[in-house]
Amino acid sequence: MGMFKSLKSSISAAALVAFVAGSAVNSFAITNQFRGVNWADKRDNFVSDALVLSGMAGVGSYDGAVTVAERVIGGFVEQLGTNSVRLPINEPTVTGSYWNTYKGVLDVALKYGRTVMGYWGPAQPAGPKDMNNWWKMWEVVVKTYGDNPNAYFEIFNEPHMYSKTELRDLYAKWLEKFPDVPRDHILLDGSGLAWNVPDIADDPRFDGCLFAVHEYTFWNMSITTEQGWMNSFKGKVGKYADRTVATEWGGAMGPGDKNGVHYEVMDYNDPNPKNYFMAYIRGMSEQLRQWKMGSFYWVGLRDGDWYSMMKRSGEGANIKLEIVNQSGVDRMQYSWTDTVEVKPVPQEPFGGKAWAVPGKIQAEDFDVPGVGKNNDSYYDKDKENHGDSDYRKDTGVDLYKKSGDRVVVGYIQNGEWLEYTVNAAKAGDYTMFAAVASDGGSSFSVSVDGKVVVENIEVPKADKAEGDEQNFDDYAKVSANVSLTAGEHVVRVTATADWFDIDYFTFVEGKDATDPEPIVKDPVDSDDPGVEPGEDCKDSSDEGCEETIAIRSHGISVAPVDMSRAQYFDMRGNRISRNAALGQGVYLIRIPGVKNLIVRKAK
């Protein structure tokens, strides 16, 4: 802890406590341990010579750099509440005589909190001109700061000059060359201008690393709603939000001009955005908050940049910083979640009332999540709802549309779970039925109030038509016995193997009870699928009615089928008697070994 002893008195005790408390966090569940801003060269950081951060002009010594950094980074901490800063590096800065001076900046930054050192090459259509110098730069940086617990290394800022494969291989080589750097202290930019995190993140060679993403208005000024910007950001991050840091995001803070339009200082606290800048700042801060994603605003300080959060006056020890737009600071701080006191809110039954047992529960009607530890009502391996249904689109559970306006929980993966609050009418044994679909090898367990009561219920493999790769449309029923005391319980269904769907659950009183609602498969799509009763069945009351049926599909006759085990349903799926099915109307018949039959009885 000796590195904290020389903190300047200008830093508030509260800010220091917040930093120390957060410095031990290295969890990938969220990345909100980073509350940061960028500090940049006035020329931008894409330069071919040594980097001169704003306020560092004319400074040529380690002590002089320390003095400036104390004023700037100390100002970030005191006035903005940051605990992190992102600083650029390049070959001339690290491998030349300026390195001793620049270390003064880095040492102060590391003293105040987490410091991301990111490589910026000169603006050019290719990677570093001399890879030997590039590797030498990283050797110096890693040797100097590789074991510092506050040091983080962003290998290549906005690597647009590399193809996906080239970039992956470059990252892999860096990891191989510096194996002692903790993986959770390494940031890998998405491909392009740090646009595409999934391009990089699905490579198993990068397990344990963090990823970096950038988002700006000037890449798409046509987006004018908060939700539009949230959706754009989601597209760049994909399912990797829990391991990603937004190392650059920012918008206009001061007055300025863009594409011939003049903008005065904007109020980003206005809930009704007037332009794409306002929609962007509000949408980005909202999505960062929802994801609990750490970030570095562009920029905390860059002289002459209308995006700059702070404005500098004075030099050296006389540097003073002032906030340019308080509403911008408010939204940046709103995006931070490690500083927010979260009051626990319990999960609630969907619809506000516990599901009755015995009774039926649609799988998509899992509990509404609460707030805080142990108040989640579901776990999905990514935060995005990838289903094609608009039902409960705000959740991360994948909900899909099926025939008959049904909604199902789909593409369930091992470890994912759903919870349902139920109310048992009385104590006793119940049979739980689940309508499920799988291509084979899937299973799930059931727990009640946190205790597993049934392990590894296997989901049967659906039959596939010739030429089909898989079948998730034909559902089957599985069952398990569950004992409940009277009153409310939380039932959790947890996947113990990958890839299956759930439509609904039914609780029936009694052990090994009979399913009151057996599965009826959806009819096949044909011009005239059907079933014609045998000639001897004109009068359904005849005791000698022949128990065979002739099948017709697309006008092609098929051999008669044994009807002794047939089950009859109306078109709503309700079980009906055989006599009722032979009356006038349209009916479904389920025959073991025969798929999807419809009866059309004209008279």
Side-chain angles (χ1 to χ4, degrees), residues 355-524:
W355 298 106
V357 170
K360 184 175 181 180
I361 306 171
Q362 295 295 333
E364 67 273 19
D365 291 339
F366 51 90
D367 284 1
V368 177
V371 176
K373 187 177 181 180
N374 299 325
N375 288 312
D376 291 326
S377 65
Y378 67 88
Y379 168 69
D380 195 277
K381 289 194 173 181
D382 67 70
K383 300 177 186 297
E384 185 74 10
N385 185 335
H386 296 287
D388 58 0
S389 171
D390 291 330
Y391 194 72
R392 302 190 72 176
K393 200 68 175 177
D394 59 328
T395 73
V397 178
D398 303 323
L399 302 180
Y400 292 85
K401 295 184 293 187
K402 291 292 183 180
S403 60
D405 296 325
R406 291 155 49 224
V407 177
V408 305
V409 179
Y411 294 90
I412 302 169
Q413 293 181 259
N414 188 9
E416 297 181 342
W417 51 264
L418 302 162
E419 287 187 340
Y420 306 84
T421 299
V422 304
N423 189 356
K426 61 181 182 180
D429 292 327
Y430 294 88
T431 304
M432 174 183 170
F433 294 93
V436 291
S438 170
D439 198 43
S442 305
S443 60
F444 64 93
S445 66
V446 179
S447 62
V448 177
D449 300 330
K451 181 180 179 181
V452 176
V453 295
V454 186
E455 296 183 357
N456 292 332
I457 304 171
E458 292 187 5
V459 180
K461 182 177 182 178
D463 294 331
K464 292 184 289 189
E466 185 176 352
D468 289 347
E469 292 185 3
Q470 57 187 10
N471 180 6
F472 283 89
D473 292 324
D474 288 335
Y475 281 70
K477 279 289 187 69
V478 294
S479 63
N481 293 316
V482 178
S483 295
L484 298 174
T485 58
E488 287 196 1
H489 302 277
V490 174
V491 175
R492 176 184 288 191
V493 176
T494 303
T496 52
D498 285 332
W499 309 129
F500 65 100
D501 297 357
I502 304 177
D503 191 352
Y504 60 86
F505 308 98
T506 307
F507 285 85
V508 180
E509 188 175 352
K511 189 175 182 179
D512 296 323
T514 301
D515 185 0
E517 191 177 7
I519 287 289
V520 180
K521 296 181 179 180
D522 293 334
V524 292

Side-chain angles (χ1 to χ4, degrees), residues 140-193:
V140 171
V141 172
V142 171
K143 182 179 180 180
T144 308
Y145 296 112
D147 61 353
N148 189 302
N150 279 336
Y152 293 78
F153 308 96
E154 190 172 353
I155 295 175
F156 207 118
N157 173 75
E158 298 188 352
H160 62 90
M161 64 288 295
Y162 290 103
S163 70
K164 172 182 172 178
T165 300
E166 291 170 340
L167 185 58
R168 288 186 180 214
D169 289 345
L170 178 66
Y171 288 160
K173 187 174 181 179
W174 195 101
L175 294 173
E176 182 180 353
K177 192 173 183 66
F178 303 109
D180 294 332
V181 177
R183 289 268 179 135
D184 60 356
H185 281 234
I186 298 168
L187 289 87
L188 308 177
D189 280 41
S191 62
L193 297 172

Side-chain angles (χ1 to χ4, degrees), residues 206-235:
F206 309 142
D207 288 349
C209 295
L210 295 169
F211 306 110
V213 66
H214 295 176
E215 178 73 298
Y216 284 113
T217 57
F218 46 77
W219 289 331
N220 191 345
M221 291 184 290
S222 65
I223 303 175
T224 57
T225 65
E226 292 181 41
Q227 189 60 55
W229 281 112
M230 292 169 71
N231 292 342
S232 175
F233 194 32
K234 289 177 182 178

Side-chain angles (χ1 to χ4, degrees), residues 573-603:
N574 300 313
R575 184 79 176 267
I576 59 175
S577 69
R578 180 174 180 275
N579 287 346
L582 294 175
Q584 184 174 350
V586 182
Y587 312 101
L588 270 169
I589 298 181
R590 179 177 179 235
I591 311 169
V594 179
K595 180 181 179 182
N596 302 329
L597 305 179
I598 300 176
V599 170
R600 290 184 172 87
K601 182 74 173 174
K603 61 180 179 178

